[in-house]
């Protein structure tokens, strides 16, 4: 993938967060009868966040070559994360052992291109291992 | 036709033979809303120990910590376990006030099955031992002369500490600051360090400091004097006509459980409240035994929330229900 | 002295040993730090007499702390909040093949600092407690500000990004129910967020899962961390010990003093100690890349903080940290009443506790030093097995502390954030600092203003807070100073 301008976009995103904070904080009490209210602190760090993000965006526009990053591996990383998210979603329905086995299988087989039987063994062994050690031996609750 | 009649007859004979009472058959889960070491957690563990000692349950009981949101998560957890007969929870006053002030606290005691009220936690009003106030009247008049200058340390503004303050301020016209600290330890440190002038504190927290001579008690927040503090006046005796808002602890169960289940739990806790171990525990920790069965508890709940709503609104706290 | 006699009985030594082992095993689990471990094993202790139980708890405590450091160094997974600072240099040392040395230094630093902590507890507890009471909200605010100023020292290449990360941390700290007004802030209507975002979830997500995701980028199995070979890398060298001598002192003192303050815990202590070490070091630019004193300082602070936290607990009955809160509850359950009269009335128990802490300390060192090379072999595991295991342990660790699936979702979310932060070159230390200190900072500020009726002068009119705030200001000015110097040199060149 082609390089993107990290600072520019992240600066914009953080600026957005800063703006959101400022808007929400201004709806709360700034200075109450007894002292500063819940809106006091967030307002200030929201302003700081917005200000600094603008500075970041500004600098990134001034030096267009300073923040190029290599996105080539990102697809795999996002894929791994998607697998993780999926297995978390599975936790409620299938329980830990199954979801974890699925995740492990995916990582070993797809990410690391090991043969399927290796992936399956590792997945089952790891899931079983966790179950035995934690659920049975230590009595820790698993999802 | 005959076959149907026979079937109905058979059922009529079989029905009474079905189990009438309830007994637990697997481990019981006791839900608390604090993490390990917190107030409800300690109470629950002590309770479990007493129940084992007095053989009140035929199965094991385990404490499940469901901290979060000051009780909201635990309450929601219980509400989700509809019909579950082997789970109970320990509730405290915050379970009753959360739904009043917090939008996210959707589960109130009315959505759960009340079982029993167990304890009242009294409180005392304490100042540092070298403070110039010998009675509550001294403190309040000093506050009246310098409005907003004296300070009290306590929990959040919906806590009992602040409720006492609101009531006293209303009836005397004095005004003093309330500074929130997240933990009992920090509140005590603020008082002992001289950074605040007064605090409302539970007797079992203050006990050791009083014995060591670091703190002095001005009054007790109660209707009648506790045995351990026979020479400390109550609020009314000190000249302030306020009805103390009680801080309670009790037992609830998930909604939708069968009547035998409720009766069973009621029986267990009624028995427990009469055992020597429990009485000793209550006395050691300077609680007050205030057993109420499920029906009385439900009525208490209504009174309590009504009272709290009024007080909170007067204090300027936004109530959402 | 009879405390030692009690503690040295063979049965009690066995309990201590058991405690250390159990503690290490559980402490290795991310998220299960000393408080949760002690709470889990508390029912076991009811079967013994209080003295033995105390000794076992001391063993568990030290074991759990060390277990936490182990995963920080080997896997960049903080075992508990205070181990985060250890991750910075410890993990980098592991990547350079010096995992054994890092683990060893952690154990040695912990031992030295733990001993200092116990000594402090023994000798100067009561007067120190009185001093601690003089610490009030303005001083806490100044302390937190000083801690946050450490961001400047941890910034790395881009100060703006570091500050932004810190601000995000502050924001995360503010999520939840405001203590003073009971308003819900930034909870997006989710009841699970009412008590805020758990630090452990963020730390494990950003560090551990972020790390795993970053490593997923490579197509072939990335090389596992180099296994340390040779004594030089399996154990700390004499040079390492020499380099760390200031760190030992710094960590022990800072940790102990901060531990004494109720309301300031080991996380703050380890960060301040780390920052201080970097500030006075001769090679500050190497911090974050694997310098041994970067491991020694936070580890030492971490451990002496226990001794410190016991001071308010045993002299006033006020817990100084979450671990001491659990210990307090244990004492109460056994029927004791910790308070100002605890030590005078229960000297045997007190000295037994002190002795058990010494023994726990020694036991930890004795047990773990030989095991260091063994632990280091963990790195041999091929990554395709190791990374799923890390993910699994993280999920279990988070779920077991809170029992909430929502937290596991948060974990995944923060994992993504951690990955993005690495990609976009945002340092994660300031985020953690902001998260840890943000809540206390805001509370202290508001309490101070309430005490002073709205006047900010309270922060500078009190000597201690004035001093700390001036220090903070000084630290904040350092980068400006550096820039000025650089500009001046450039001007001279022209």
């Amino acid at each position: 993938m082609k390089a993107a301008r990290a600072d520019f976009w992240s600066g914009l995103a953080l600026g957005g967060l800063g703006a959101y904070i400022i808007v929400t904080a201004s709806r709360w009490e700034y200075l109450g009868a007894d002292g500063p209210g819940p809106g006091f602190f967030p307002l200030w760090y929201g302003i700081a966040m917005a200000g600094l993000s603008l500075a970041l965006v500004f600098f990134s526009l001034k030096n267009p070559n300073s923040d190029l990053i290599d996105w080539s591996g990102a697809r795999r990383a996002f894929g791994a994360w998607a697998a993780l998210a999926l297995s978390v979603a599975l936790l409620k329905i299938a329980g830990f052992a199954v979801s974890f086995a699925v995740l492990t299988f995916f990582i070993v087989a797809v990410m690391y291109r090991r043969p399927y039987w290796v992936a399956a063994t590792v997945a089952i062994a790891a899931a079983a291992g966790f179950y035995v050690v934690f659920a049975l031996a230590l009595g820790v609750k698993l999802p | 036709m005959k076959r149907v009649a026979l079937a109905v007859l058979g059922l009529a004979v079989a029905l009474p033979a079905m189990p009438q009472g309830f007994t637990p058959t697997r481990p019981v889960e006791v839900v608390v809303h604090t993490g390990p070491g917190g107030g409800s957690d300690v109470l629950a563990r002590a309770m479990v120990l007493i129940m084992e000692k007095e053989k009140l349950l035929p199965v094991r009981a385990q404490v499940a910590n469901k901290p979060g949101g000051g009780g909201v998560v635990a309450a929601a957890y219980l509400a989700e376990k509809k019909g579950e007969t082997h789970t109970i929870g320990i509730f405290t006053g915050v379970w009753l006030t959360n739904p009043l002030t917090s939008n996210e606290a959707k589960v109130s005691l009315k959505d759960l099955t009340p079982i029993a009220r167990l304890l009242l936690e009294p409180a005392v009003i304490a100042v540092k031992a070298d403070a110039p106030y010998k009675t509550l009247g001294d403190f309040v008049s000093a506050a009246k002369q310098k409005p907003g200058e004296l300070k009290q340390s306590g929990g959040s503004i919906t806590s009992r500490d602040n409720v006492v303050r609101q009531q006293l301020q209303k009836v005397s016209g004095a005004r003093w600051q309330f500074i929130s600290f997240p933990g009992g330890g920090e509140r005590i440190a603020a008082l002992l360090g001289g950074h605040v002038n007064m605090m409302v504190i539970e007797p079992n927290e203050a006990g050791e400091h009083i014995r060591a001579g670091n703190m002095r008690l001005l009054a007790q927040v109660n209707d009648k004097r506790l045995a351990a503090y026979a020479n400390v006046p109550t609020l009314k005796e000190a000249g302030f006509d306020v009805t103390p808002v009680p801080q309670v602890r009790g037992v609830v169960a998930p909604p939708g459980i069968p009547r035998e289940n409720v009766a069973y739990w009621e029986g267990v806790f009624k028995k427990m409240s009469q055992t020597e171990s429990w009485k000793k525990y209550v006395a050691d920790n300077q609680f007050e035994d205030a057993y109420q069965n499920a029906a009385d508890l439900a009525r208490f709940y209504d009174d309590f929330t009504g009272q709290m709503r009024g007080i909170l609104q007067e204090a300027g706290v936004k109530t959402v229900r | 002295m009879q405390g030692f006699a009690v503690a040295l009985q063979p049965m009690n030594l066995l309990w201590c040993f058991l405690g250390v082992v159990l503690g290490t095993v559980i402490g290795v689990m991310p998220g299960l730090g000393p408080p949760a471990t002690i709470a889990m094993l508390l029912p076991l202790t009811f079967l013994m007499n209080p003295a033995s139980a105390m000794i076992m708890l001391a063993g568990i405590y030290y074991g759990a702390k060390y277990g936490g450091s182990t995963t920080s160094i080997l896997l960049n997974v903080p075992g508990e909040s205070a181990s985060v600072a250890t991750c910075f240099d410890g993990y980098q040392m592991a990547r350079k093949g010096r995992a054994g040395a890092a683990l060893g230094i952690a154990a040695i630093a912990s031992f030295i600092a733990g001993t200092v902590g116990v000594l402090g507890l023994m000798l100067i507890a009561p007067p120190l407690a009185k001093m601690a009471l003089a610490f009030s909200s303005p001083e806490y605010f100044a302390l937190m500000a000083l801690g946050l100023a450490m961001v400047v020292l941890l910034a790395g290449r881009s100060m703006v990004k570091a500050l932004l990360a810190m601000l995000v941390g502050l924001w995360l700290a503010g999520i939840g129910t405001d203590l003073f007004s009971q308003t819900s802030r930034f909870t997006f209507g989710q009841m699970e967020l009412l008590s805020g975002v758990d630090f452990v979830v963020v730390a494990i997500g950003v560090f551990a899962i972020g790390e795993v995701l970053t490593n997923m980028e490579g197509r072939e199995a990335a090389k596992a961390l180099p296994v340390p070979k040779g004594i030089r890398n399996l154990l700390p060298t004499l040079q390492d010990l020499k380099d760390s001598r200031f760190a030992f002192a710094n960590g022990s003192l800072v940790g102990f003093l901060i531990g004494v303050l109720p309301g300031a815990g080991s996380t703050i202590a380890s960060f301040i100690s780390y920052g201080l070490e970097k500030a006075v070091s001769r090679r500050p630019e190497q911090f974050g890349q694997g310098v041994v004193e970067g491991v020694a300082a936070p580890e030492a602070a971490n451990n002496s903080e226990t001794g410190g936290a016991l001071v308010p607990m045993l002299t006033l009955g006020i817990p100084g940290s979450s671990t001491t809160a659990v210990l307090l509850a244990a004492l109460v359950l056994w029927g004791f009443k910790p308070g100002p009269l605890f030590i005078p009335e229960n000297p045997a128990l007190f000295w037994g506790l002190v002795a058990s802490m010494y023994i726990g300390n020694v036991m930890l060192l004795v047990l773990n030093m030989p095991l260091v090379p063994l632990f280091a072999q963990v790195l041999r595991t091929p990554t395709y097995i190791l990374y799923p295991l890390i993910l699994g342990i993280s999920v279990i660790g988070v779920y077991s502390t809170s029992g909430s699936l929502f937290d596991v979702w948060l974990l995944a979310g923060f994992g993504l954030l951690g990955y993005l932060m690495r990609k976009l070159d945002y340092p994660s230390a300031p985020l953690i600092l902001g998260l840890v200190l943000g809540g206390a900072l805001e509370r202290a500020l508001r309490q101070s203003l309430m005490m002073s009726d709205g006047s900010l002068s309270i922060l500078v009119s009190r000597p201690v807070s004035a001093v700390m705030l001036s220090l903070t200001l000084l630290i904040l000015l350092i980068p400006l100073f550096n820039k000025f110097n650089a500009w001046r040199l450039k001007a001279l060149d022209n």
Side-chain angles (χ1 to χ4, degrees):
Chain A
M1 284 200 185
K2 59 175 166 52
R5 297 240 289 259
D7 289 0
F8 179 73
W9 291 110
S10 60
L12 277 185
L14 284 174
L17 179 61
Y20 169 72
I21 294 177
I22 295 177
V23 167
T24 338
S26 46
R27 267 193 269 135
W28 297 321
E29 206 181 14
Y30 180 77
L31 215 51
D34 288 329
F40 178 73
F41 211 60
L43 190 68
W44 284 111
Y45 65 69
I47 294 180
M49 197 185 285
L52 281 173
S53 333
L54 278 175
L56 192 65
V57 171
F58 176 67
F59 281 129
S60 87
L61 288 173
K62 240 178 60 161
N63 313 324
N65 288 325
S66 67
D67 54 342
L68 305 173
I69 40 174
D70 176 21
W71 284 108
S72 52
R75 200 161 45 128
R76 292 173 46 87
F78 283 124
W81 185 79
L84 178 66
L86 196 67
S87 72
V88 174
L90 271 178
L91 281 175
K92 192 147 198 180
I93 331 173
F96 180 77
V98 171
S99 321
F100 182 68
V102 167
L103 178 67
T104 314
F105 185 79
F106 176 77
I107 291 183
V108 179
V110 178
M111 291 284 127
Y112 287 110
R113 299 291 164 87
R114 298 275 153 162
Y116 283 149
W117 66 266
V118 172
T121 330
V122 173
I124 297 182
F130 274 129
Y131 187 71
V132 166
V133 171
F134 291 107
L136 293 181
L138 286 177
V140 174
K141 277 166 65 142
L142 291 180
Chain B
M1 226 20 233
K2 225 200 236 175
R3 238 183 252 175
V4 173
L6 264 177
V8 171
L9 200 61
L11 219 56
V13 170
L15 265 175
M18 264 166 48
Q20 289 288 22
F22 164 85
T23 28
T25 48
R26 45 189 165 88
V28 167
E29 193 185 18
V30 182
V31 175
V32 293
H33 73 269
T34 63
S40 289
D41 177 75
V42 173
L43 174 64
R45 290 184 198 272
M47 221 175 70
V48 166
L49 279 176
I50 291 178
M51 291 204 285
E52 273 177 12
K53 192 164 153 212
E54 304 278 348
K55 305 218 187 327
L56 293 170
L57 283 180
V59 295
R60 264 189 331 133
Q62 248 176 332
V63 175
N65 302 87
K66 297 266 171 236
V72 175
V73 171
Y77 176 79
L78 279 176
E80 269 175 38
K81 290 220 153 195
K82 203 166 158 165
E84 168 62 59
T85 52
H86 286 73
T87 302
I88 52 176
I90 305 274
F91 75 87
T92 68
V94 292
W95 291 46
L96 305 178
T97 48
N98 279 338
L100 294 177
T101 54
S102 168
N103 264 319
E104 289 91 342
K106 303 197 184 72
V107 177
S108 75
L109 222 58
K110 277 249 171 336
D111 303 312
L112 303 170
T113 316
I115 300 287
R117 190 179 78 170
L118 290 177
L119 296 171
L120 281 185
E121 284 182 60
V124 288
I125 302 189
V127 295
K128 203 163 166 222
D130 55 13
Y133 318 110
K134 296 272 186 321
T135 68
L136 188 55
D138 289 343
F139 177 79
V140 173
S141 4
K144 225 167 167 176
Q145 284 169 356
K146 306 184 263 180
E149 263 190 47
L150 294 187
K151 308 182 193 77
Q152 171 184 354
S153 69
S156 73
I157 52 175
T158 55
S159 69
R160 189 247 302 265
D161 309 350
N162 194 32
V163 168
V164 170
R165 166 176 170 260
Q166 291 295 334
Q167 290 179 310
L168 285 175
Q169 286 187 150
K170 182 170 173 203
V171 93
S172 68
R175 229 176 22 93
W176 63 90
Q177 276 253 23
F178 183 78
I179 307 191
S180 306
F181 289 88
E186 287 181 57
R187 293 171 214 151
I188 297 179
L191 182 70
L192 292 180
H195 312 291
V196 298
N197 308 94
M198 175 270 268
M199 73 181 293
V200 174
I201 186 177
E202 266 125 55
N204 56 358
E205 281 184 310
E208 289 302 293
H209 292 283
I210 299 173
R211 258 197 333 140
N214 291 340
M215 282 191 193
R216 179 195 308 148
L217 296 184
L218 297 182
Q220 22 184 323
V221 181
N222 219 4
D223 279 328
K224 52 184 192 331
R225 298 195 182 190
L226 289 172
Y229 298 101
N231 50 355
V232 177
T234 65
L235 287 181
K236 287 222 168 78
E237 291 170 359
F240 297 94
D241 185 21
V242 292
T243 332
V245 174
Q247 184 143 308
V248 297
R249 293 193 198 264
V251 184
V252 280
I257 53 178
R259 193 123 17 103
E260 304 90 53
N261 199 205
V262 178
Y264 177 75
W265 290 128
E266 262 190 309
V268 167
F269 287 105
K270 186 167 175 121
K271 253 186 277 177
M272 183 184 83
S273 68
Q274 290 164 341
T275 62
E276 280 308 311
S277 325
W278 177 254
K279 294 204 175 134
K280 179 169 182 303
Y281 177 77
V282 170
D284 281 345
N285 284 284
Q286 300 178 317
F287 294 136
E288 224 184 276
D289 180 46
Y291 176 77
Q292 266 186 348
N293 65 20
D296 291 336
L297 174 59
R299 239 166 308 170
F300 167 78
Y301 168 74
D302 286 328
D303 292 337
F304 183 85
T305 31
Q307 206 185 0
M308 273 307 281
R309 197 177 285 122
I311 295 180
L312 287 177
Q313 278 165 350
E314 275 175 3
V317 178
K318 201 162 64 97
T319 52
V320 300
R321 284 187 192 85
Chain C
M1 273 311 113
Q2 67 196 109
F4 269 102
V6 168
L8 283 172
Q9 280 165 18
M11 202 54 207
N12 289 335
L13 281 179
L14 185 67
W15 288 125
C16 196
F17 178 78
L18 196 64
V20 171
V21 170
L22 275 175
T24 314
V25 166
I26 301 187
V28 165
M29 287 279 302
L32 286 181
T37 318
I38 294 184
M40 271 204 291
L41 298 169
L42 205 56
L44 272 180
T45 61
F46 285 125
L47 306 169
M48 323 173 224
N49 65 67
S52 307
M54 260 283 120
I55 291 173
M56 180 161 154
L57 283 182
I60 294 176
Y61 174 78
Y62 283 114
K65 274 244 152 110
Y66 189 68
S69 318
T70 310
T71 49
S72 303
I73 292 176
L74 293 178
L75 304 170
N76 207 25
V77 174
E80 38 130 14
S81 46
S83 315
V84 171
T86 317
C87 288
F88 301 147
D89 277 90
Y91 184 61
Q92 296 307 318
M93 278 181 79
R95 298 189 90 176
K96 286 206 227 161
R98 301 204 68 212
L103 288 169
I105 273 287
I108 295 178
S110 301
F111 173 71
I112 296 182
T115 315
V116 169
V118 180
L119 269 171
L121 176 66
M122 252 174 49
L123 301 173
I124 50 174
L128 212 55
K130 285 241 157 33
M131 269 185 4
L133 283 180
F135 233 69
S136 173
S137 305
E139 283 77 26
Y140 276 108
F141 174 74
L143 182 66
M144 302 298 152
L146 187 63
L148 277 183
M150 297 286 149
V151 166
V152 162
L153 297 174
L154 297 172
R157 269 175 310 164
S158 166
M159 185 65 65
V160 176
K161 285 190 184 174
L163 286 174
L164 277 173
M166 179 190 83
L167 288 171
V168 174
L170 285 183
W171 173 63
L172 288 174
I175 298 182
T177 317
D178 176 41
L179 170 70
F180 300 87
S181 63
Q182 293 294 90
T183 0
S184 315
R185 298 195 293 183
F186 302 117
T187 51
F188 304 109
Q190 298 289 341
M191 112 184 123
E192 287 92 345
L193 287 176
L194 273 181
S195 32
V197 170
D198 189 5
F199 168 82
V200 167
V201 172
V202 177
I204 298 181
V206 168
F207 279 93
I209 302 197
E211 179 78 18
V212 170
L213 288 176
T214 314
N215 282 307
M216 289 279 167
E217 285 191 344
R219 196 158 288 263
E220 317 91 39
K223 285 203 183 32
L225 294 176
V227 177
K229 287 198 173 40
I231 289 291
R232 190 190 162 270
N233 292 324
L234 277 176
L235 291 175
T237 62
L238 277 174
Q239 180 62 40
D240 288 333
L241 290 173
K242 234 179 87 181
D243 287 332
S244 311
R245 43 185 217 283
F246 182 73
F248 293 143
N250 153 20
S252 310
L253 270 171
V254 168
F256 183 72
L257 290 175
I258 293 192
V260 169
L261 304 171
S266 49
T267 324
I268 300 174
S270 57
F271 271 102
I272 291 192
S273 176
Y274 183 81
L276 187 63
E277 186 65 26
K278 183 172 178 184
V280 302
S281 159
R282 248 166 296 157
R283 41 180 186 173
E285 67 290 341
Q286 285 185 30
F287 269 68
Q289 282 152 24
V291 289
V292 72
E293 59 268 30
V295 177
E299 280 297 305
N302 205 348
N303 250 279
S304 62
E305 191 265 347
T306 345
L310 283 174
V311 168
M313 184 181 108
L314 295 176
T315 54
L316 295 171
I318 299 177
S321 67
S322 45
T323 322
T324 38
V326 180
L327 278 173
L328 195 73
L331 282 174
V332 169
L333 276 174
W334 286 328
F336 294 102
K337 294 188 202 281
L341 299 171
F342 181 76
I343 302 182
E345 290 183 352
N346 298 293
L349 192 63
F350 173 70
W351 290 110
L353 178 62
V354 168
S356 68
M357 289 181 70
Y358 270 123
I359 307 230
N361 246 330
V362 173
M363 184 85 51
L364 184 72
L365 195 68
V366 158
L367 197 66
N368 282 302
M369 281 305 275
L371 290 182
V372 157
L374 193 68
F375 282 139
Q377 302 302 324
V378 162
L379 300 173
R380 249 184 222 222
T381 332
T383 43
Y384 68 83
I385 300 184
L386 193 61
Y387 288 140
L389 281 183
I390 294 182
L391 290 178
I393 293 185
S394 305
V395 170
I396 297 181
V398 164
Y399 188 77
S400 60
T401 21
S402 65
S404 143
L405 212 54
F406 182 79
D407 278 354
V408 182
W409 278 112
L410 279 183
L411 180 73
F414 282 112
L416 188 64
L417 181 70
Y419 170 66
L420 286 174
M421 280 176 74
R422 268 167 229 255
K423 257 333 225 185
L424 301 172
D425 200 23
Y426 279 84
S428 44
L431 179 80
I432 301 284
L433 256 185
L435 176 62
V436 168
L437 300 181
L441 185 79
E442 177 179 15
R443 273 199 305 267
L445 180 64
R446 286 164 77 174
Q447 284 164 355
S448 308
L449 288 176
M450 280 197 220
M451 285 188 194
S452 68
D453 274 328
S455 139
L456 276 174
S457 64
I458 191 176
L459 296 173
V460 290
S461 59
R462 298 164 64 103
V464 180
S465 72
V467 166
M468 284 202 279
L469 283 175
S470 330
L471 263 175
T472 311
L473 211 58
L474 260 154
I475 295 182
L476 289 174
L477 290 174
I478 289 181
L480 286 174
F481 187 65
N482 286 337
K483 273 222 161 76
F484 178 67
N485 253 355
W487 171 84
R488 215 167 46 121
L489 287 170
K490 225 168 62 168
L492 281 175
D493 277 338
N494 291 350

